[in-house]
Every structure is written in structure tokens, then in C-alpha cells.
């Protein structure tokens, strides 16, 4: 274990348990502004054991358990213990991080099979910024969960089935495949959908064709399925272009659209019936999940089958849970889906619990997120008032980054600048999204996200690039300093080292609530600590062995920066 705070907890556990009559009692170790750490646990323990917390704190100090760890221990206030770590102790712990490819992050003790449901755009409909959020948050959760050792299935639950496909297929036939494909795979999905919809409204014969087509689709008519597949492929081409530009892990192998659950719904519904969970209501079939009420306080039904006998979105999500639990053996399912679907998902989960498809310790979690807003504080729209075309947004991010790098670093060769602009533009966009608490809305603001100062993607990438440039200037390979001992003499060195050693806890905290913004905050603090160190501690100008020690600390910082940005799906260029 290389996190000094965690080491403190471990060292304190036995004495806390002893005083507590053999039962564990949390030492409650926290970061502190006054010292390096604060132990708060004597207060709760004192209360429980009927002892004076200050005396108890003193007893813990006098016991000598922290003798090798702390250079200073002070009992303060009602019974806190302020801890100043001994440099020698921190140096030993830091040396462990240096030699560790995982930078101190342990593998999860109980590795799980995790399904992450994310991205999930709808076929022949524009992918909106909400899908962007889901894609970016989901991608980073996948990377983190895999890194800590879980087995992750990525599932892209695209909306590729349902009534609109009747009119969409007929519209495809009217246009001809070539014309349709030009629009759809280029991202004019809204146009296609709107045209189909307009025809459906205006033309009686088209309506009839559309209805007949839905029936054919639902009865798996082969010619209809061929057309349907073409439509899905065209949309997927577009989605894949967006994913490529974004640099996320999703591929065609991760597609698990609504259509895949159609054949399972009948069986799942039958199991609900056998358990006596469904009820006829106004001709439809419904389940009443426990604890859900409408505005009048009456039980809220979840419709599983419509009056016309069609299964619903909710039914396909039920089938989906069953499939994930029973076929994939999921222990944990994360649904990275916008907040508006909270009620839908909670009802689905509750019905699954009632049917015993979702039983402890298997868990389903709605990893919800807020909206992306325009400068006017309303849902983000393009200038024409349509939803924003995502490829355009991504291209604009890269163009803007390119322009600002050209200005800041005019000496960079054009070819190199292309790749860097890609990393910086996309990184800025992702970081802006990930760094706000996901449950909140945020305002999309080009200037803010692309700024080189503040809590932004470019600032963090720049911190990394700056370290790389120190080594370039000194013509030293970064790997060449990794055997050198790091001496923590200056307060800024110590603060930076402690931050580096806090990386495992930062990942833990992030995954405790599936909140990537916590990791973002950590990376920002790391970059800020480096910046203070860089200001206060000369590196190349100092004498040996301090020079090499500081280079080694800088190299380790860059490794953690690159790695943590990587977990956020952000590339860290060596030069900017
Ligand atoms: N396609 C849906 C939408 O765009 C999101 C699907 C989310 N996943 C799920 N299992 N329901 O709103």
C-alpha cells in the first residue's frame, strides 16, 4: 500500500480495536490543512468506550504505533490528532509507486462482472449532446472499472426497433438506398426522420404502407429485415464516425440494440404472468412496482403490453436485465442514461426485484446525468434551432484547438499540430463534460473549455507536456531517472509526493459513486501541486543529487498525469 493515509489507517486499526474491546472502530483518517493528515476517530471511539477523547488521543500518540511514520504528532481540539509525516517514511512509500506500473493502484479484491449500458443513440435520429455525455461518461467508467480489475461488457443499447421503422423503411424505399445513405451516414439523421414523419402526416397511402411495413417487420419478413438492416447500418456508420473522432472504445461488437431483446420479451412476459405480477388494465397489461405512486398518490403502473398487444420500451428493458443477469452473469449493471429516464429505470429495476431477477448482491445502478445547456441556459441547439450535429461539434473543437496551438506554439510543424489539436480539442470537450458533477446540468462554452488556465483539459495536458519538455531541454530520457532516489526536502515536494500517493484513493472515491468529476478534481490538484513545486523548486538549475531527485519526481508526476487522463479517455501529448 503506497497511500500514506491508507497506511495510517492500517497502522491504527489494531489499537483502535483494542480500546474498543476487540471490535473494529474506524480511525477516520482525513487530509488536513494544518498538517499532512488528521486522525478524527478518537472522538467517536471515546464516546463509545466512555473515555475522554483528548486523553484517548494522547494515549494513541504515546503508544508509539506511529513512531516510524510521523515526525510530529499533536493532539488538538476535542481530540483530533494532527500528523506530520516523516520524510523518510514518505520516501519509502513513494519509491514503491515509482517501480509500480500500476502507480500504486491495487487490483480489486472482489472482481466483478460489470455491464455498462451507455451511448445508446437511436437509429435514423440525430445523436444529441445527451448521447455525447452518455458516451463520454460511460467510456471513462469502462476504462476505470477495467483498470481496477473488473470484467466489463460494454453494451450500446441503440434504439433500433419500434413503430417508427415502418415509415422509415418506406421512406428509404422512396428515396432509394444511395440517396438515403448519403443523408444518413453523413449525419443528416434529423432530416431523414422529419421527411418521413411529414409524409406520414400528409399522405394517407404512405401511412398505410408504413403500418403494413411495421407488421411485416414484426413478423420477421426477410425482405423487410434486409431494408431494416440497411437503415441500421447507415446510422451505425454515422455513430462510428462520431466514436472514432471521439476516441472512445465502442465498436460494432458492443452493439446490443433494442431489437436483440425482441425475441426474449415473450418469455420474460410469460414469467411475469406465471408469478402473478401482471394485471389487465384498460385492455393493456401492467405491473405495479412497489413504492411507485402517481401525482394523486395512486399506484403507478408500468405498461408491459399495449392494448394492441405490442411490448413496450419497459418490457425490452426487463428482458435486457434478465439477459444481462442470466446470460452474461452480471454482478453489477451501470446504466449511463439521462436523468429524465430515472423513473423508467427505477420502475424496471423494482419489477426485476419483485420477479427475483435482480437479487442481492447483484446490483443495477442508474448512473444518471444532467443536460448540456447553451449560453442561454436552455437545452443546447444549433443556430438554426435544430439539435446540434455531433460530427460538426467535434470538428469545431479540433479546429479551435488547432488555431490556439498555432498561436501559442508557432514553431510546431503542421503535421504534428494536427495530432496535437485532435488530442487537445477532443480532450477539452470530454474534460468539460467529465469535470462537472454528472448529475448537474452544465453550460457548453468553447472559450472556457479550451482555455489553457483553470480546471480544463488543455491545462492538464499542458502540465504533462511541460514536464516532457523539461526532459527534452535537459536531453535526458525520462526512464533514465527512474532508479534515482527521490528526496522530499521542500514542502512543495512533499505536497506533490503526497498527492501522487493519493491516486489510488482518488480512483476509489470516483468509483464509489461512479462520478468521473472526482478523478478530474484529483488530476487538477495534481497539476496545481506540480505547478507550485515547479515554481518553488528549481529543477535543472539545482545541484546533484537534488537535480536528479527532482527530475524523478517530475517524471513520476507526468506518469500519473498521463495515466489518469487516460482513464478519462483523454490523450496527453508530449508537446503542445
Ligand atoms: N436509446 C435511448 C435514448 O436515446 C437510451 C437507452 C438507454 N438504455 C436503456 N437500457 N434503456 O433515450
Amino acid at each position: 500500500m503506497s497511500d500514506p493515509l491508507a497506511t495510517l489507517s492500517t497502522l491504527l486499526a489494531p489499537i483502535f480495536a483494542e480500546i474498543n474491546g476487540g471490535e473494529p472502530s474506524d480511525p477516520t483518517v482525513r487530509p488536513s490543512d494544518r498538517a499532512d493528515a488528521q486522525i478524527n476517530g478518537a472522538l467517536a471511539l471515546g464516546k463509545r468506550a466512555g473515555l475522554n477523547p483528548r486523553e484517548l488521543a494522547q494515549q494513541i500518540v504515546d503508544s508509539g504505533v506511529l513512531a516510524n511514520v510521523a515526525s510530529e504528532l499533536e493532539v488538538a481540539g476535542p481530540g483530533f490528532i494532527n500528523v506530520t509525516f516523516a520524510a523518510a517514511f514518505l520516501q519509502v512509500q513513494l519509491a514503491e509507486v515509482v517501480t509500480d506500473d500500476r502507480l500504486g493502484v491495487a487490483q480489486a479484491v472482489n472482481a466483478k462482472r460489470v455491464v455498462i449500458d451507455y451511448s445508446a443513440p437511436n437509429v435514423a435520429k440525430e445523436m444529441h449532446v445527451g448521447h455525447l455525455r452518455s458516451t463520454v461518461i460511460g467510456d471513462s467508467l469502462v476504462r476505470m472499472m477495467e483498470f481496477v480489475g473488473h470484467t466489463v461488457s460494454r453494451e450500446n443499447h441503440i434504439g433500433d426497433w419500434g413503430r417508427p421503422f415502418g415509415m422509415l423503411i418506406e421512406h428509404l424505399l422512396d428515396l432509394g438506398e444511395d440517396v438515403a445513405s448519403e443523408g444518413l451516414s453523413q449525419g443528416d439523421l434529423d432530416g431523414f426522420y422529419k421527411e418521413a414523419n411529414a409524409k406520414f402526416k400528409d399522405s394517407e397511402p404512405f401511412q398505410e404502407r408504413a403500418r403494413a411495413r411495421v407488421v411485416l417487420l414484426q413478423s420477421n419478413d426477410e425482405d423487410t429485415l434486409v431494408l431494416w438492416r440497411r437503415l441500421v447500418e447507415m446510422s451505425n456508420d454515422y455513430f462510428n464516425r462520431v466514436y472514432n473522432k471521439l476516441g472512445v472504445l465502442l465498436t460494432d461488437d458492443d452493439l446490443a440494440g433494442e431489437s436483440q431483446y425482441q425475441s426474449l420479451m415473450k418469455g420474460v412476459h410469460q414469467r411475469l404472468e406465471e408469478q402473478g405480477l401482471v394485471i389487465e388494465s384498460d385492455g393493456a397489461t401492467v405491473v405495479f412496482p412497489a413504492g411507485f405512486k402517481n401525482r394523486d398518490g395512486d399506484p403507478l403502473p408500468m405498461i408491459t403490453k399495449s392494448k394492441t398487444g405490442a411490448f413496450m420500451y419497459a418490457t425490452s428493458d426487463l428482458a435486457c436485465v434478465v439477459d444481462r443477469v442470466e446470460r452474461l452473469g452480471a454482478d453489477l449493471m451501470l446504466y449511463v442514461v439521462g436523468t429524465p429516464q430515472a423513473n423508467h429505470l427505477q420502475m424496471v429495476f423494482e419489477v426485476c426485484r419483485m420477479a427475483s431477477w435482480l437479487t442481492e448482491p447483484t446490483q443495477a445502478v442508474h448512473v444518471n446525468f444532467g443536460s448540456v445547456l447553451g449560453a442561454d441556459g436552455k437545452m443546447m441547439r444549433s443556430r438554426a434551432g435544430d439539435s446540434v450535429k455531433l460530427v460538426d461539434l467535434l470538428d469545431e473543437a479540433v479546429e479551435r484547438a488547432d488555431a490556439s496551438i498555432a498561436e501559442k506554439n508557432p514553431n510546431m510543424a503542421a503535421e504534428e499540430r494536427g495530432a496535437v489539436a485532435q488530442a487537445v480539442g477532443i480532450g477539452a470537450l470530454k474534460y468539460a463534460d467529465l469535470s462537472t458533477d454528472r448529475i448537474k446540468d452544465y453550460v457548453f462554452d468553447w472559450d472556457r473549455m479550451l482555455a489553457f488556465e483553470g480546471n480544463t483539459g488543455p491545462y492538464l495536458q499542458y502540465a504533462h507536456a511541460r514536464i516532457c519538455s523539461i526532459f527534452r531541454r535537459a536531453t535526458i530520457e525520462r526512464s533514465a531517472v527512474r532508479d534515482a532516489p527521490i528526496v522530499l526536502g521542500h514542502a512543495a515536494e512533499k505536497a506533490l509526493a503526497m498527492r501522487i500517493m493519493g491516486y489510488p484513493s482518488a480512483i476509489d472515491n470516483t468509483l464509489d459513486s461512479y462520478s468521473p468529476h472526482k478523478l478530474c478534481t484529483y488530476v487538477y490538484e495534481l497539476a496545481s501541486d506540480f505547478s507550485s513545486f515547479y515554481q518553488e523548486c528549481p529543477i535543472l538549475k539545482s545541484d546533484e543529487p537534488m537535480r536528479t531527485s527532482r527530475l524523478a519526481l517530475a517524471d513520476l508526476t507526468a506518469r500519473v498525469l498521463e495515466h489518469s487522463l487516460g482513464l478519462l479517455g483523454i490523450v496527453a501529448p508530449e508537446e503542445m
Side-chain angles (χ1 to χ4, degrees):
M1 189 166 322
S2 58
D3 181 350
L5 299 192
T7 306
L8 262 191
S9 292
T10 313
L11 288 173
L12 289 164
I15 186 165
F16 269 74
E18 191 190 313
I19 299 170
N20 199 35
E23 287 293 303
S25 172
D26 187 357
T28 332
V29 177
R30 298 280 177 265
S32 155
D33 293 335
R34 299 234 193 108
D36 295 331
Q38 193 175 57
I39 303 162
N40 298 342
L43 275 80
L45 180 56
K47 210 176 244 170
R48 218 173 301 134
L51 299 166
N52 177 327
R54 269 195 76 98
E55 280 168 21
L56 198 57
Q58 193 59 51
Q59 182 187 337
I60 293 162
V61 169
D62 294 342
S63 74
V65 280
L66 302 179
N68 293 327
V69 168
S71 59
E72 215 180 305
L73 291 169
E74 179 206 18
V75 176
F80 305 120
I81 305 170
N82 290 329
V83 183
T84 305
F85 287 116
F89 162 73
L90 291 180
Q91 285 162 197
V92 170
Q93 302 248 309
L94 193 66
E96 278 176 32
V97 185
V98 176
T99 53
D100 183 4
D101 284 339
R102 300 182 52 85
L103 298 165
V105 182
Q107 297 271 359
V109 202
N110 89 53
K112 292 181 179 156
R113 181 163 279 279
V114 184
V115 171
I116 307 190
D117 180 315
Y118 68 113
S119 195
N122 300 312
V123 165
K125 270 201 193 163
E126 184 52 78
M127 241 177 134
H128 52 70
V129 279
H131 295 118
L132 179 70
R133 279 209 94 173
S134 174
T135 307
V136 169
I137 296 169
D139 184 64
S140 127
L141 292 176
V142 169
R143 291 173 197 264
M144 287 186 239
M145 295 298 270
E146 283 186 342
F147 178 59
V148 300
H150 300 298
T151 305
V152 179
S153 307
R154 308 185 287 252
E155 297 232 321
N156 192 356
H157 195 76
I158 57 171
D160 61 356
W161 201 256
R163 295 198 62 77
F165 281 88
M167 72 177 192
L168 293 169
I169 290 171
E170 288 304 316
H171 185 47
L172 171 70
L173 282 171
D174 286 357
L175 283 184
E177 276 200 23
D178 290 346
V179 179
S181 152
E182 211 163 283
L184 284 172
S185 48
Q186 295 311 305
D188 186 20
L189 285 78
D190 267 0
F192 186 90
Y193 197 95
K194 277 185 191 150
E195 282 161 28
N197 212 16
K199 273 202 267 178
F200 190 85
K201 280 210 184 101
D202 296 345
S203 150
E204 191 81 31
F206 184 82
Q207 251 181 50
E208 248 149 58
R209 276 165 56 198
R211 289 212 182 91
R213 191 57 79 177
V214 176
V215 175
L216 284 172
L217 182 64
Q218 274 159 354
S219 55
N220 292 327
D221 168 62
E222 196 38 56
D223 292 341
T224 303
L225 284 177
V226 168
L227 293 165
W228 168 78
R229 256 178 236 125
R230 278 301 293 140
L231 210 53
V232 175
E233 276 165 16
M234 289 175 200
S235 287
N236 274 333
D237 282 347
Y238 176 63
F239 301 151
N240 283 333
R241 277 181 54 210
V242 171
Y243 298 151
N244 274 331
K245 281 182 195 274
L246 266 180
V248 293
L249 299 168
L250 284 171
T251 70
D252 282 346
D253 293 341
D254 306 316
L255 289 170
E258 286 170 42
S259 65
Q260 290 190 17
Y261 302 94
Q262 298 307 306
S263 60
L264 305 176
M265 288 197 285
K266 207 170 150 211
V268 165
H269 205 267
Q270 203 172 338
R271 286 167 70 177
L272 283 178
E273 286 164 24
E274 282 161 12
Q275 296 197 49
L277 289 170
V278 294
I279 294 168
E280 294 290 315
S281 167
D282 290 333
T285 312
V286 305
V287 191
F288 288 100
F292 287 84
K293 301 225 154 52
N294 66 16
R295 269 190 230 111
D296 302 328
D298 298 326
L300 190 63
M302 186 181 95
I303 304 177
T304 53
K305 212 198 271 183
S306 75
K307 273 181 212 168
T308 59
F311 292 123
M312 315 296 286
Y313 180 51
T315 329
S316 80
D317 263 323
L318 292 177
C320 200
V321 173
V322 171
D323 185 61
R324 288 169 179 175
V325 173
E326 295 180 0
R327 183 178 60 89
L328 296 175
D331 306 304
L332 173 64
M333 290 165 276
L334 302 181
Y335 287 73
V336 189
V337 181
T339 302
Q341 293 192 42
N343 212 52
H344 160 73
L345 287 172
Q346 294 310 339
M347 287 172 92
V348 167
F349 298 161
E350 183 52 33
V351 170
C352 289
R353 281 184 209 109
M354 289 162 69
S356 301
W357 296 327
L358 196 53
T359 52
E360 290 283 331
T362 306
Q363 251 192 316
V365 180
H366 180 198
V367 179
N368 64 319
F369 55 83
S371 310
V372 186
L373 307 176
D376 56 1
K378 301 209 181 94
M379 294 289 275
M380 190 161 142
R381 299 257 171 251
S382 73
R383 267 178 227 111
D386 301 323
S387 60
V388 186
K389 210 164 125 179
L390 280 194
V391 265
D392 292 348
L393 198 75
L394 302 183
D395 289 342
E396 185 168 352
V398 176
E399 275 161 33
R400 283 174 182 259
D402 191 73
S404 87
I405 295 162
E407 193 191 303
K408 290 202 162 60
N409 189 355
N411 297 329
M412 189 183 276
E415 321 85 75
E416 197 187 338
R417 203 175 71 214
V420 175
Q422 180 74 27
V424 173
I426 298 298
L429 197 86
K430 286 184 176 178
Y431 192 82
D433 200 302
L434 294 169
S435 58
T436 12
D437 189 346
R438 61 174 165 75
I439 63 172
K440 293 191 184 145
D441 298 344
Y442 77 94
V443 174
F444 192 93
D445 180 343
W446 284 121
D447 292 332
R448 217 188 64 176
M449 72 174 79
L450 283 159
F452 277 60
E453 275 90 51
N455 187 8
T456 68
Y459 172 72
L460 302 178
Q461 288 169 318
Y462 184 66
H464 172 266
R466 186 156 69 173
I467 297 174
C468 297
S469 90
I470 297 171
F471 282 85
R472 271 197 303 274
R473 256 188 290 141
T475 57
I476 296 175
E477 285 296 323
R478 281 179 49 194
S479 56
V481 299
R482 277 180 206 161
D483 292 331
I486 300 179
V487 179
L488 302 171
H490 193 286
E493 289 174 313
K494 199 170 145 186
L496 178 56
M498 296 237 333
R499 186 74 68 193
I500 289 171
M501 291 187 277
Y503 186 38
S505 315
I507 295 177
D508 274 358
N509 291 338
T510 301
L511 287 178
D512 274 349
S513 56
Y514 312 111
S515 299
H517 78 279
K518 294 186 179 167
L519 185 60
C520 292
T521 303
Y522 169 80
V523 189
Y524 178 58
E525 288 169 342
L526 175 62
S528 308
D529 286 340
F530 178 77
S531 178
S532 310
F533 158 73
Y534 190 62
Q535 260 167 32
E536 292 172 38
C537 304
I539 300 180
L540 297 180
K541 289 207 176 87
S542 33
D543 297 329
E544 292 297 355
M546 193 184 273
R547 185 177 191 259
T548 304
S549 163
R550 287 184 174 168
L551 279 169
L553 185 56
D555 165 62
L556 184 57
T557 307
R559 285 169 66 196
V560 180
L561 279 171
E562 183 186 14
H563 192 272
S564 51
L565 285 171
L567 291 182
L568 297 167
I570 297 173
V571 177
E574 297 194 350
E575 198 180 341
M576 279 171 68

